[in-house]
Amino acid sequence: MSARPVAVIGVGQTHHKKARADVSMIGLVREAAERALADAGCDWADIDAVVLGKAPDAFEGVMQPELFLADALGGAGKPMLRVHTAGSVGGSTFIYGSHLVNAGIHERVLTVAWEKQSEGNAQWGLAGGRSGGIGAGGAFAPFIRKYIRDTDAPEYIGWMVAVKDRQNALKNPYAHLKIADISIEKVKESEMLWDPLRFLESCPSSDGACAMVVGSEAAAAAAPNPPAWVLGTAVRTELSTFPGRDATRPQAGVDCAHALYDSVGITNPREQIDVAELYVPFSWYEPMWLEGHDIAGPGEGWRMVDDGATEIEGSFPVNPSGGVLSSNPIGASGMLRMAEAALQVRGLAGEHQVEGAHVSLGQAYGGNAQYFSMAIFGSTQDAVR
Amino acid sequence: MPADDIAIVGWGQTPSVASTDLTEPQLCLAAVNDALAMANIDRHAIGFTCSGSCDYLSGGPFVFISNLEAAGAWPPISESHVEMDGAWALYEAWVRIQHGDIDFALVYGSGKSSPSDPALLFPQQLDPYYLEPLGLDPASLMGMQARALLDSGTATERDFAAVAARSRRAGAANPKAQTLPNGAGESDLDIDALLAAPYVRAPLRAHDLAPAADGAAAVVLATPAKARELTDHPVFIRGIDHRLEPHQPGVRDLADSPSTRLAAQKAGLGANGGGVGVAELYATSSAQELILRAALGLGPDVSVNPSGGALCSDPVMATGLVRIIEAAQRVADGTTRRAVAHAVNGQVLQHNLVCVLEGER
Amino acid sequence: MTTEKGSASAADEPMVVDDFVALTYHDRLPPETVRFADGLIAGRIIGQRCPQCRRVYVGGKGFCAMCVVVMGPESEIDVADVGVVTGYTIITPVRYYGQTKTEPFVYASVLLDGASSVLGGQEITGIAIDAVREGLRVRAVWKPPEARNYEGHSTRGWGSLAGGIVGFEWTGEPDVPREQYKEFAV
Ligand SMILES: [Zn+2]
């Protein structure tokens, strides 16, 4: 692939909160976009196209809201496209934007993903307005039960992930949840929501947006800050349910990872990737994706958690930003994974910077754990070794 | 602009009907299977799939996840979805196939308008702070646009009726379109009959407005090399582009479509219609067709909407893709060597896509 | 539309306006769903067998999504009303407009004997909520014939049993060994 090199030259995000009552939907997306433009050292006029992503329109109660948001994002006179691939949408939105540059169609593309959950009711939206809604946690809990049963993982693994991500969030000025006294005890004693998932093992509901400016080699050379090179991207989708489906290790996630690794020359992801931002809305998805993307062998994912390998100082840091467990503006959550992974290889992650990060992985998933979007970022075009 | 002229090698569309019992995935399945059969390729040869649909239209979150079942997503596929008409799904697939690592892409768009009332639904598509509370429905907005066109002095209500009469006559010959009354001809008698009808939103009458429908459409794209292997008459996308205008109708000249003009220029259409013999335009009112013809510089010699166009059948979320199919059909069958297709997103021509199609040079 | 609080002049108190929108959708049920719904009213659970891969789907959609081939009335067969729990969770209901559930409830996947596809979101009765487990043998609890109706069917989802069946109860039989349903788990 890679007809021509693509770089992330600007990253911006909002402060994520339960309710950003201080801004409209317009103000929210604009806040992220302005930060990304400032990082990229460019103006609205330098942007050739705008790509927007968000989860279902029912969450805010506006049909195709990009049509009214496009003005605030400098969309007039430009191409604008709205992506929707469920929870993975932030990742897919970024990937489509990168392809526009990759294919030589544009020089600089602004990609924006967002959700303003406080404007509507996501539980109502997920249930399609009907009673008996189970939420995302209810949909994923049976898969998690199966993972625990298949691998004999101890129940404290989920609590450990919940604590680690909240501790990382304390180092991220944009994170929503700031639980200074987070502890195993606290997670363990929180309410059981969807057996075996407890309240503190679950993501919050957030307002927030993320924006990334992707550009060509020339755009990267002109930008004031170091770029993150987009070394490879991959997307895969499978049916939401079918006879014989392995929902704890979806084949689409396996295929997506291998297509990505193969495209950038990664043969040993655990050694060759320095840091990963994985979409972990419920604690157990950290070990499940470590195994589901063949970073760890079967049953080894939870041992990596147990050994502290995924801590910010560990051998394979996962979600140094605090992850989806700390901030969940749903449509933006996938792009935040890409943005944070890019920041790491640019050396611009601030207090949650992983030392010596040259190759990073961004990943998002969605639907019934059936949609995957993944990307590898490098500090240089030949960072993978 | 990328170098490769991607080809359209297969297509399918369900009949557009006012209301169907079939589910949206069933509609998609029929269109996709027809497109694959026409291309004469196995579904596993597809390297990228992209669909277009709309949750609000279908009345539930994640409608595209159900529609995915028509695409054959096992084993897993490389796939994306736009919350837009299938024409934009085609655009994303066209971008993806440029990479050169895949041979074929599958595109489909679908929607069922019959379960809901467009007059109540589409105000939800407007700015929720300033426009949605006004309850402006699509017909009202199109009425304002038609009024602006009349006031510009470039068209009359009789011109509107002539567009409707011509569309209905063409649609009557299209088995995929709805058959509507007053489609017998283009005589003064027919136009007078249309003009005798009451206004729905002055100056527009029922025949001036696109009837929403249920339907789905699908297209198979191929690299030029694969296209030439499969067919002696490949249809190439010589250029495709789409451009947006401000959302607030009040800040736009509704009697013009500068974004269509810009998209046409970027797509390489060329001056004065660029020598196309056929134009398939997604006009949801007769006035819009006149606006689009002017923006594209189409002369009287161009055959506009020989399929009957959206004024006969508007399967929302598939209609734009159907325009590309109808234009491609007429290049493939030799009706014309060069054609242009247009698609719209949003109200009163806010966002326009232009696709230039040609046969072998 | 109701104005909730605040005013534009109080800088620190943003004005919040609730704008409640009601949209009505009228569904016409597809023929497959009508036959399935009529089957439930008659006390039958109708499955569709794919002509290509032979998988049996309960609440057939009119096509096999694995093979992408059409399944018509000729593909329809009766499926047993007994099966096994392949996976479950217990949901603590979240409150939202339209939610009527207030107490924790079981949300189980049930694989009926002779079927290839599991039925998700089933309630399990006749056993304590914390005794529900994978491998449990269960039988459908039918509504009395006069109470059966078209409840639960729509064009956005398939296989709702609500028109004829209220849930599943433990048969009292021993649990099914995992090997026998593992392939279908959750
Ligand atoms: Zn089959």
Side-chain angles (χ1 to χ4, degrees):
Chain A
M1 206 164 95
S2 278
R4 64 175 193 162
V6 183
V8 177
I9 61 171
V11 167
Q13 62 183 293
T14 59
H15 288 96
H16 313 297
K17 287 190 164 39
K18 184 167 181 55
R20 282 294 305 270
D22 59 321
V23 286
S24 61
M25 294 179 229
I26 294 164
L28 190 77
V29 294
R30 180 121 179 150
E31 188 176 305
E34 282 180 346
R35 286 186 179 134
L37 290 180
D39 184 10
C42 57
D43 203 349
W44 296 101
D46 300 320
I47 298 296
D48 301 323
V50 182
V51 189
L52 276 108
K54 75 175 294 296
D57 293 354
F59 285 2
E60 286 81 11
V62 184
M63 175 182 181
Q64 298 168 301
E66 57 282 354
L67 286 164
F68 92 94
L69 293 173
D71 285 359
L73 295 171
K78 297 173 187 171
M80 184 274 295
L81 194 120
R82 157 72 190 287
V83 181
H84 181 12
T85 60
S88 72
V89 65
S92 321
T93 303
F94 159 74
I95 288 173
Y96 170 67
S98 78
H99 287 173
L100 284 171
V101 176
N102 187 297
I105 296 166
H106 296 304
E107 280 300 295
R108 283 184 198 82
V109 175
L110 173 67
T111 70
V112 183
W114 66 283
E115 208 74 59
K116 202 157 191 297
Q117 292 208 56
S118 69
E119 299 263 342
N121 187 317
Q123 296 304 326
W124 177 89
L126 284 172
R130 295 175 184 83
S131 179
I134 57 166
F140 295 136
F143 306 165
I144 291 168
R145 297 185 62 84
K146 178 169 178 286
Y147 172 79
I148 294 171
R149 188 166 165 169
D150 285 349
T151 64
D152 291 319
E155 62 178 341
Y156 65 78
I157 295 297
W159 308 339
M160 283 181 74
V161 174
V163 170
K164 178 205 58 147
D165 281 7
R166 270 50 173 271
Q167 281 173 339
N168 289 348
L170 296 172
K171 299 176 176 169
N172 178 356
Y174 295 108
H176 170 182
L177 290 186
K178 300 277 191 179
I179 312 173
D181 62 343
I182 189 74
S183 67
I184 294 283
E185 282 302 301
K186 227 177 138 112
V187 176
K188 179 181 167 184
E189 280 158 22
S190 64
E191 189 191 359
M192 184 70 87
L193 288 185
W194 307 282
D195 191 15
L197 284 170
R198 293 178 182 278
F199 175 71
L200 282 176
E201 288 179 274
S202 309
C203 54
S205 157
S206 315
D207 285 0
C210 180
M212 298 171 80
V213 179
V214 290
S216 65
E217 220 164 1
N225 293 318
W229 295 99
V230 185
L231 302 181
T233 64
V235 295
R236 285 295 184 280
T237 305
E238 70 184 41
L239 298 169
S240 54
T241 173
F242 56 90
R245 177 171 194 233
D246 185 349
T248 62
R249 181 183 158 81
Q251 192 61 41
V254 176
D255 291 1
C256 190
H258 284 283
L260 181 69
Y261 302 155
D262 291 351
S263 73
V264 300
I266 286 178
T267 50
N268 184 343
R270 190 167 170 184
E271 294 304 321
Q272 290 170 283
I273 296 169
D274 300 317
V275 54
E277 282 279 342
L278 307 179
Y279 199 103
V280 178
F282 303 99
S283 58
W284 283 96
Y285 268 105
E286 178 171 305
M288 284 165 71
W289 292 142
L290 288 171
E291 293 176 34
H293 298 318
D294 283 345
I295 295 163
E300 293 299 322
W302 69 259
R303 289 187 176 83
M304 281 178 71
V305 175
D306 205 13
D307 295 344
T310 60
E311 287 173 20
I312 206 164
E313 311 280 348
S315 61
F316 193 91
V318 176
N319 293 333
S321 67
V324 184
L325 280 174
S326 304
S327 311
N328 186 33
I330 302 177
S333 292
M335 188 175 285
L336 284 165
R337 307 283 67 73
M338 301 297 173
E340 290 287 352
L343 285 173
Q344 288 288 344
V345 299
R346 300 171 76 200
L348 297 176
E351 234 193 299
H352 60 280
Q353 177 70 46
V354 170
E355 198 91 12
H358 293 291
V359 177
S360 64
L361 166 66
Q363 176 260 19
Y365 85 97
N368 200 27
Q370 65 186 120
Y371 285 83
F372 294 86
S373 53
M374 300 175 74
I376 293 281
F377 301 89
S379 57
T380 59
Q381 291 190 47
D382 60 354
V384 173
R385 282 156 213 274
Chain B
M1 192 58 89
D4 278 346
D5 287 341
I6 303 305
I8 296 178
V9 295
W11 52 81
Q13 54 171 313
T14 64
S16 294
V17 294
S19 178
T20 176
D21 284 350
L22 297 178
T23 60
E24 202 170 313
Q26 287 175 308
L27 295 175
C28 292
L29 181 99
V32 165
N33 281 350
D34 283 354
L36 289 169
M38 178 179 166
N40 195 24
I41 59 165
D42 184 85
R43 71 178 62 253
H44 300 298
I46 298 290
F48 183 69
T49 300
C50 196
S51 64
S53 65
C54 175
D55 279 358
Y56 261 74
L57 190 67
S58 305
F62 307 113
V63 61
F64 60 93
I65 299 184
S66 304
N67 293 344
L68 172 71
E69 305 210 326
W74 186 259
I77 58 174
S78 178
E79 188 257 359
S80 187
H81 166 261
V82 295
E83 194 79 359
M84 307 175 84
D85 186 286
W88 274 266
L90 181 139
Y91 186 86
E92 179 170 347
W94 174 82
V95 171
R96 180 63 187 80
I97 205 170
Q98 300 287 337
H99 295 289
D101 59 333
I102 60 172
D103 295 326
F104 299 103
L106 171 67
V107 177
Y108 57 103
S110 60
K112 286 185 72 173
S113 293
S114 60
S116 67
D117 179 352
L120 299 176
L121 182 69
F122 283 95
Q124 307 309 317
Q125 196 193 44
L126 301 174
D127 179 327
Y129 304 107
Y130 293 106
L131 286 176
E132 183 271 336
L134 302 177
L136 272 172
D137 68 352
S140 301
L141 283 161
M142 285 187 280
M144 291 163 64
Q145 182 177 40
R147 172 61 60 198
L149 185 64
L150 292 181
D151 290 350
S152 75
T154 57
T156 65
E157 289 184 41
R158 194 168 190 87
D159 295 332
F160 298 169
V163 166
R166 194 209 67 236
S167 299
R168 287 173 178 232
R169 188 174 52 127
N174 176 359
K176 303 289 187 186
Q178 299 181 69
T179 303
L180 301 168
N182 291 101
E186 255 178 284
S187 68
D188 281 347
L189 206 63
D190 300 312
I191 293 171
D192 287 340
L194 291 175
L195 284 171
Y199 290 128
V200 174
R201 298 286 190 283
L204 298 178
R205 300 171 170 85
H207 57 255
D208 291 312
L209 295 163
D214 296 351
V219 162
V220 176
L221 300 180
T223 58
K226 285 290 171 188
R228 291 190 178 100
E229 276 175 30
L230 288 170
T231 170
D232 294 334
H233 304 285
V235 179
F236 292 103
I237 299 173
R238 296 296 188 208
I240 183 169
D241 194 271
H242 60 103
R243 298 283 153 167
L244 186 83
E245 287 181 48
H247 181 68
Q248 290 281 348
V251 305
R252 292 161 45 194
D253 175 3
L254 293 179
D256 191 12
S257 185
S259 59
T260 299
R261 194 177 298 115
L262 181 59
Q265 180 201 326
K266 298 281 183 184
L269 178 66
N272 301 321
V276 297
V278 168
E280 279 284 340
L281 312 177
Y282 189 173
T284 53
S285 76
S286 52
Q288 283 184 4
E289 182 188 299
L290 299 174
I291 293 167
L292 291 167
R293 291 173 75 126
L296 294 169
L298 303 179
D301 53 325
V302 177
S303 166
V304 176
N305 289 343
S307 68
L311 288 179
C312 288
S313 285
D314 186 8
V316 181
M317 295 300 138
T319 314
L321 190 58
V322 170
R323 302 281 73 73
I324 295 173
I325 290 172
E326 294 289 353
Q329 170 71 52
R330 283 159 182 83
V331 173
D333 69 15
T335 303
T336 184
R337 197 189 66 82
R338 183 170 162 91
V340 64
H342 158 272
V344 70
N345 176 37
Q347 296 301 315
V348 282
L349 303 176
Q350 189 192 344
H351 187 187
N352 298 281
L353 179 145
V354 173
C355 179
V356 180
L357 300 167
E358 263 183 26
E360 200 79 76
R361 283 185 217 274
Chain C
M1 189 186 295
T2 57
T3 302
E4 195 185 65
K5 64 166 184 177
S7 79
S9 60
D12 55 346
E13 274 290 308
M15 187 168 78
V16 177
V17 177
D18 280 340
D19 182 9
F20 295 107
V21 174
L23 292 171
T24 303
Y25 295 84
H26 295 279
D27 285 345
R28 285 174 60 176
L29 295 178
E32 291 72 22
T33 301
V34 172
R35 292 195 298 271
F36 183 72
D38 287 341
L40 287 172
I41 289 171
R44 302 163 55 207
I45 300 175
I46 297 176
Q48 287 191 317
R49 190 202 304 271
C50 173
Q52 200 163 308
C53 70
R54 312 301 290 168
R55 290 182 179 91
V56 175
Y57 298 87
V58 178
K61 302 170 183 178
F63 61 92
C64 170
M66 309 284 283
C67 304
V68 209
V69 297
V70 171
M71 299 189 296
E74 71 291 345
S75 71
E76 288 172 1
I77 56 166
D78 280 17
V79 174
D81 69 348
V82 291
V84 58
V85 172
T86 62
Y88 76 99
T89 182
I90 295 161
I91 307 280
T92 306
V94 177
R95 288 176 61 186
Y96 58 84
Y97 180 80
Q99 170 72 287
T100 57
K101 299 266 187 199
T102 54
E103 296 303 314
F105 61 97
V106 176
Y107 185 88
S109 298
V110 172
L111 178 68
L112 296 175
D113 293 357
S116 317
S117 67
V118 297
L119 285 158
Q122 302 300 320
E123 295 213 38
I124 307 294
T125 57
I127 187 167
I129 197 169
D130 54 3
V132 172
R133 56 191 178 270
E134 286 107 357
L136 201 68
R137 280 290 285 174
V138 291
R139 170 183 290 117
V141 181
W142 289 85
K143 288 177 171 176
E146 64 278 11
R148 295 175 195 162
N149 54 25
Y150 270 47
E151 186 188 337
H153 303 291
S154 82
T155 63
R156 290 171 285 278
W158 293 269
S160 171
L161 300 177
I165 290 169
V166 292
F168 287 85
E169 64 182 3
W170 183 34
T171 60
E173 295 169 90
D175 286 4
V176 178
R178 191 158 189 241
E179 292 62 45
Q180 290 180 25
Y181 63 86
K182 196 172 158 195
E183 191 201 336
F184 301 97
V186 299

